[in-house]
């Protein structure tokens, strides 16, 4: 092996010029020599690639500085393992953070290229489903910003989340091809590759003295190859690494088969390996329970841990220092098999004894829980787990024995408690509980909002919490203000800077200096004018995409998020139908003009969610075309929700819909994006809404409906939704219109089943919360009519949302969990 060059030998490069003329020279150079295009014939896409390469070079200088600094200082490294990273576009983010936005704009303009046009061509990297993946992306940026030496580890899916088309009102899923033009951000690291095994058997070698060694002989093996994308923090203080794994066959072609003339057969295995990282599982809350998914989870966990241990041994003599040098955070249970894999690597591969390995493992991992929904708690059938990961099955049993003996002997746990704590679900099909495995294998288990953390202690992890009362802690989610204010809302960003200076750029909590401008009518008018410009931009997008004209003077009432029954898009649509009826039946009243905008994807197998999309579109068609509505209400479903669409919709919202059934949304982050951009929230006391109310003030947010405690009580005691519906004339009218086919004349029974669900069980409390919601909406109308009061509340929302910066969240993780 060659000697590693010591950090001091190569001097840091002199900072490159940021002169637009120099940048222009480099743009032409990249175009010619890296892309092979004459500037005279270059296409916009070529210019995009050239622009990314110029910026990437500057980032790479900082990247190497950061890596050297981590080595030199011996700083603790943080590894964030996540099956999803919902990154979106990177160019604007990278240019802003490295401080080259204006210079690059000028450089490109001097070459006749409009940066805004090429920026739109960058593919939206959707390697995730929703909030969990977007949180991981915000965290990667905030870890760099707060100078935490960190690596994000995930999978380089060839196809990210599907592209959503709406055909005749129905969702149609099309494959996403974000890599079609290559990916100029990434570096392929052939040298960082690891073997990952599946299946086979475990041999036991007797070493004497009652000691044994276990040798896993996998039946199949694939290679994990790293692709690195630099992640730049604000002001480029630090550049971290997002390392995504791709699967390749051990031998690209099986030579034996190839030489024997079986060319197709020789390629079959290569296809099989590559199919491992071909697609992202398109569900956010319900694990599909398919073998390929478990394979993906193990594949990226094992590759990441092998990489982490290799890096550790480059700097330290052994693993006794592992928990001091390394913190590994599990983003939900998707990487939870890592707990067993680390024990395996430390014992079978590196010769530690089980107790030592277990102690190091527990001190190294932290686990973040993201959901309490019972159907979303990940577990794998024991036979599948055992067949695919026979050695890990043994380790899970060994951990379980240790934990259960400890629980019984030392903590006096009873039979029921032992059943709940066990890593194996007994009764019926035996299953491995990934949440329990992650819990016992970590020194910290956190929820993502204050309410969610308390509910975790009372529900899913009640018994484990009694056993380990110091382990559960809260880390309320956040969002990066660079993407979700600075870049997506430049108008507001500039107004804030003009008004309070630039301290908020480095500390979002300084936004509170805006508080005093809420009473300043000149300021409010400028604030409102910016909101209006953002609404015009969105109206143009809607007109271009679906041909519906919107009046930017109307209230823009927006609900964008995954389509799920617990998020209650249905409640919003039913209210739109009730409002529609009132506007027609009571034309003498002063109705506030409103546009209800929806966007979101449904999991392809989630029948009711797809039906809700169809309902939104059916209702939209009828309402938007009824002259009796006189333009007072419009309903719009914008197709293909993703990060880039959110960046246009969030700054354009007057009202943000955060109306999940209380107790079911762990945190939400969409709620934070909107409020930061000056929307008022209508919401339930769920997830982070509770803390948002505390921060913005109860008078600046519209809260309605049942609390989590009330929902739990009603569910336990049973309620009578039919009586509730019959007691509410507005609601029964709206529901019978929907179920009788007023909005679906081509198929009158289309929504009967959906509405029957409300009459019969109303699990998500749509009927139970309807009247409170409708009343809250009329309160919103009244507030809208007092423009000064509305705008003052909007300003106060922006002023008081700084605490929800993901920089704050990451600082809490760093000091309270990672010790970094
Ligand atoms: C923020 C975000 C989410 C999460 O939204 P919630 O309202 O918290 O569910 C999902 N998808 C995208 C594209 C986002 O930007």
């Amino acid at each position: 092996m060659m000697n590693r060059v010591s950090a001091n030998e190569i001097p840091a490069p002199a900072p490159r010029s940021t002169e637009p003329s120099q940048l222009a020279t480099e743009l032409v150079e990249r175009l010619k020599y890296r892309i092979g295009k004459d500037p005279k014939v270059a296409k916009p896409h070529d210019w995009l690639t050239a622009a990314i390469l110029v910026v990437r070079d500057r980032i790479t200088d900082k990247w190497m500085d950061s890596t050297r600094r981590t080595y030199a200082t011996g700083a603790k490294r943080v590894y964030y393992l996540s099956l999803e990273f919902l990154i979106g576009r990177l160019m604007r983010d990278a240019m802003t953070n490295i401080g080259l936005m204006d210079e690059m704009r000028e450089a490109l303009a001097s070459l006749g290229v409009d940066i805004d046009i090429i920026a739109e061509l960058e593919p939206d990297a959707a390697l995730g489903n929703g909030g969990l993946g977007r949180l991981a992306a915000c965290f990667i940026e905030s870890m760099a910003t707060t100078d935490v030496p960190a690596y994000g580890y995930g999978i380089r899916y060839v196809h990210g989340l599907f592209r959503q088309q709406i055909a005749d009102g129905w969702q149609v899923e099309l494959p996403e091809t974000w890599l079609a033009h290559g990916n100029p951000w990434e570096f392929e690291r052939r040298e960082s590759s690891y073997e990952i095994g599946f299946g086979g058997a475990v041999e036991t070698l007797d070493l004497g003295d009652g000691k044994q060694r276990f040798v896993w002989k996998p039946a199949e093996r694939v290679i994990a190859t790293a692709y690195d994308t630099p992640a730049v923090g604000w002001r480029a203080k630090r550049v971290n690494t997002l390392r995504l794994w791709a699967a390749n066959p051990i031998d690209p072609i099986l030579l034996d088969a190839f030489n024997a003339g079986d060319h197709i057969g020789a390629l079959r295995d290569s296809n099989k390996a590559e199919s491992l990282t071909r697609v992202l599982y398109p569900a956010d809350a319900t694990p599909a329970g398919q073998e390929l998914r478990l394979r993906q989870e193990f594949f990226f966990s094992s590759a990441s841990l092998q990489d982490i241990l290799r890096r550790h041994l480059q700097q330290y003599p052994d693993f006794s220092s592992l928990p001091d040098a390394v913190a590994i955070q599990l983003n939900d249970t998707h990487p939870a098999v890592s707990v067993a894999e680390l024990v395996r690597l430390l014992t079978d591969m590196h010769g530690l004894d089980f107790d030592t390995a277990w102690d190091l493992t527990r001190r190294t991992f932290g686990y973040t829980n993201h959901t309490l929904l019972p159907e979303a708690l990940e577990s794998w059938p024991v036979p599948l787990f055992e067949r695919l990961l026979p050695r890990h099955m043994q380790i899970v049993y060994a951990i379980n024995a240790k934990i259960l003996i400890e629980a019984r002997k030392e903590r006096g746990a009873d039979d029921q408690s032992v059943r709940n704590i066990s890593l194996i679900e007994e009764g019926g099909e035996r299953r491995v509980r990934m949440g329990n495995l992650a819990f016992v294998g970590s020194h910290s288990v956190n929820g993502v909002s204050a309410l969610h953390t308390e509910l975790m202690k009372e529900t899913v992890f009640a018994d484990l919490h009694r056993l380990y009362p110091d382990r559960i802690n809260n880390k309320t989610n956040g969002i990066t203000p660079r993407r979700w204010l600075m870049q997506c809302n430049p108008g507001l960003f500039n107004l804030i800077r003009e008004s309070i200076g630039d301290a908020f750029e480095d500390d979002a909590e300084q936004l509170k200096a805006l508080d005093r401008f809420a009473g300043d009518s000149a300021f409010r008018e400028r604030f409102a004018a910016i909101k209006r410009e953002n609404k015009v931009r969105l109206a143009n997008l809607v007109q271009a995409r679906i041909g519906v004209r919107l009046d930017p003077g109307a209230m823009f009432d927006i609900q964008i998020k995954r389509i799920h029954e617990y998020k209650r898009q249905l409640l919003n649509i039913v209210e739109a139908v009730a409002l529609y009826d009132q506007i027609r039946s009571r034309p003498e009243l002063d109705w506030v003009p409103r546009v209800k905008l929806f966007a979101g994807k449904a999991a392809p197998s989630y029948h009711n969610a797809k039906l809700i999309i169809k309902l939104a579109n059916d209702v939209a068609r009828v309402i938007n075309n009824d002259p009796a509505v006189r333009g007072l209400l419009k309903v719009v479903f914008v197709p293909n929700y993703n990060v880039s669409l959110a960046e246009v919709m969030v700054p354009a919202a007057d009202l943000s819909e955060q109306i999940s059934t209380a107790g079911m949304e762990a945190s939400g982050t969409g709620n934070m994006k909107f409020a930061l951009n000056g929307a008022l929230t209508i919401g339930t006391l769920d997830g982070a809404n509770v803390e948002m109310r505390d921060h913005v003030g109860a008078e600046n947010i519209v809260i309605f409906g049942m609390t989590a405690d009330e929902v739990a009580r009603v569910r336990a005691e049973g309620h009578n939704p039919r009586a509730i519906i019959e007691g509410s004339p507005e609601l029964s009218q709206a529901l019978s219109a929907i179920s009788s086919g007023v909005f679906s004349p081509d198929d009158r029974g289309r929504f009967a089943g959906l509405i029957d669900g409300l009459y019969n069980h109303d699990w998500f409390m749509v009927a139970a919360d309807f009247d409170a919601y409708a009343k809250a909406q009329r309160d919103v109308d009244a507030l809208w009519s007092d423009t000064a009061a509305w705008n003052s509340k909007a300003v106060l929302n922006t002023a008081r949302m700084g605490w929800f910066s993901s920089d704050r969240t990451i600082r809490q993780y760093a000091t309270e969990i990672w010790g970094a």
Side-chain angles (χ1 to χ4, degrees), residues 436-463:
N436 289 26
L437 177 60
F439 193 115
V440 302
S442 302
H443 63 90
S444 158
V445 176
N446 74 282
V448 289
S449 73
L451 174 66
H452 166 238
T453 299
E454 287 314 301
L455 292 174
M456 252 168 70
K457 294 178 186 168
E458 291 166 17
T459 60
V460 266
F461 294 134
D463 291 279

Side-chain angles (χ1 to χ4, degrees), residues 706-727:
M706 297 166 76
T707 62
D709 284 346
E710 286 165 351
V711 171
R713 181 155 38 78
V714 164
R715 279 184 179 165
E717 292 171 2
H719 74 309
N720 184 352
R722 187 172 298 274
I724 293 171
I725 295 167
E726 282 162 5

Side-chain angles (χ1 to χ4, degrees), residues 86 130-131 134 484 560-561 567 641-643 646 668-670 673:
L86 195 52
R134 184 53 234 175
W484 298 111
I560 51 177
K561 47 186 75 245
K567 292 180 182 277
Y641 182 50
N642 59 15
V643 171
T669 50
K673 299 168 195 166

Side-chain angles (χ1 to χ4, degrees), residues 358 362 367 398-413 417-418 420-423 435-446 453 456-457 460-473:
W358 177 237
R362 278 221 268 206
Y367 156 52
I399 296 170
N400 206 30
K402 212 175 167 62
I403 296 292
L404 296 185
I405 288 169
E406 191 181 299
R408 244 187 232 287
K409 294 245 171 81
E410 289 166 32
R411 322 269 176 140
S417 181
V418 163
N420 293 340
I421 289 162
S422 175
L423 303 186
N436 289 26
L437 177 60
F439 193 115
V440 302
S442 302
H443 63 90
S444 158
V445 176
N446 74 282
T453 299
M456 252 168 70
K457 294 178 186 168
V460 266
F461 294 134
D463 291 279
L464 280 163
H465 176 54
R466 255 194 303 281
L467 200 56
Y468 306 103
D470 301 328
R471 199 164 294 185
I472 295 183
N473 63 89

Side-chain angles (χ1 to χ4, degrees), residues 488-489 529-560 595-599 636-655 674 679:
C488 74
N489 202 343
I530 289 160
K531 179 65 77 181
R532 194 184 161 92
E533 282 170 26
N534 294 336
K535 289 165 75 175
V536 168
R537 181 161 68 124
L538 175 57
N540 290 338
L541 180 149
V542 168
Q543 166 91 53
R545 285 210 192 162
I546 60 172
V548 176
R549 291 180 76 91
L550 302 181
D551 169 13
M555 183 199 304
F556 278 21
D557 166 353
I558 304 190
Q559 186 173 21
I560 51 177
V595 183
K596 285 205 184 228
L597 296 115
F598 296 86
V636 166
F637 189 96
V638 190
N640 202 35
Y641 182 50
N642 59 15
V643 171
S644 301
L645 182 59
E647 287 167 4
V648 180
M649 295 187 78
V650 164
D654 295 305
L655 185 66
F674 283 105

Side-chain angles (χ1 to χ4, degrees), residues 77-352:
R77 291 184 181 83
V78 172
Y79 296 101
Y80 195 81
L81 270 58
S82 180
L83 205 51
E84 303 193 5
F85 286 92
L86 195 52
I87 304 165
R89 293 176 176 142
L90 278 183
M91 189 173 77
R92 224 179 258 283
D93 201 49
M95 281 184 189
T96 322
N97 279 3
I98 203 166
L100 279 183
M101 195 66 197
D102 295 337
E103 292 79 0
M104 282 296 287
R105 179 181 294 279
E106 199 179 320
L108 284 159
S110 74
L111 297 162
V113 179
D114 182 340
I115 194 171
D116 293 325
I117 289 176
I118 62 167
E120 287 287 304
L121 297 177
E122 187 180 6
D124 182 290
L127 308 183
N129 278 285
L132 175 150
R134 184 53 234 175
L135 183 77
C138 283
F139 277 9
I140 290 296
E141 198 261 9
S142 274
M143 288 191 286
T145 295
T146 56
D147 205 18
V148 174
Y151 295 74
Y153 277 116
I155 290 181
R156 182 180 179 272
Y157 303 104
V158 174
H159 301 287
L161 188 60
F162 64 87
R163 191 157 57 83
Q164 179 194 58
Q165 231 175 44
I166 301 297
D168 189 30
W170 294 100
Q171 168 173 296
V172 177
E173 300 101 27
L174 301 171
E176 186 60 88
T177 53
W178 71 294
L179 293 171
H181 292 268
N183 177 6
W185 285 113
E186 69 188 9
F187 292 90
E188 184 181 354
R189 307 286 192 199
R190 289 285 171 124
E191 75 286 6
S192 296
S193 55
Y194 301 94
E195 230 178 83
I196 314 295
F198 295 102
V202 179
E203 278 178 18
T204 309
L205 305 180
D206 218 320
L207 305 180
D209 290 347
K211 289 198 174 131
Q212 291 172 318
R213 216 185 124 209
F214 299 92
V215 182
W216 178 25
K217 299 264 172 76
E220 295 169 51
R221 289 170 306 152
V222 300
I223 297 287
T225 303
Y227 287 76
D228 287 348
T229 299
V232 203
W234 173 235
R235 297 197 199 279
K237 261 194 296 242
R238 167 176 284 280
V239 179
N240 282 328
T241 305
L242 175 60
R243 174 159 280 193
L244 302 178
W245 301 103
N248 296 117
I250 294 258
D251 298 311
I253 305 174
L254 296 176
L255 280 178
D256 286 351
F258 200 81
N259 291 336
D262 180 8
H263 296 181
I264 302 295
L267 289 168
R268 196 177 305 129
D269 254 41
S270 119
N271 285 334
K272 188 165 181 204
E274 280 153 11
S275 71
L276 195 54
T277 52
R278 207 183 306 282
V279 288
L280 165 78
Y281 267 82
D284 51 349
T286 39
Q290 289 172 22
E291 181 174 330
L292 179 61
R293 169 74 172 205
L294 180 55
R295 283 177 181 257
Q296 286 184 340
E297 295 183 354
F298 178 66
F299 168 80
F300 104 101
S301 296
S302 178
S304 307
L305 289 174
Q306 292 185 57
D307 202 34
I308 291 167
L309 295 188
R310 179 193 55 85
R311 193 173 294 116
H312 186 78
L313 287 186
Q314 281 176 356
Q315 201 165 4
Y316 300 92
D318 58 41
F319 292 117
S320 58
S321 55
L322 192 73
D324 302 316
V326 165
I328 306 176
Q329 193 66 29
L330 305 172
N331 194 24
D332 212 324
T333 55
H334 314 147
V337 70
S338 295
V339 168
E341 174 67 351
L342 183 55
V343 172
R344 184 188 74 88
L345 292 170
L346 292 176
T347 54
D348 298 2
M349 309 304 287
H350 294 281
L352 272 62

Side-chain angles (χ1 to χ4, degrees), residues 355-386:
D355 287 341
T356 306
W358 177 237
D359 176 61
L360 294 174
T361 297
R362 278 221 268 206
R363 288 161 57 207
T364 301
F365 282 114
Y367 156 52
T368 305
N369 172 277
H370 284 272
T371 177
L372 307 172
L373 303 186
E375 72 272 21
L377 294 175
E378 213 178 5
S379 69
W380 295 100
V382 165
L384 168 63
F385 199 95
E386 193 159 32

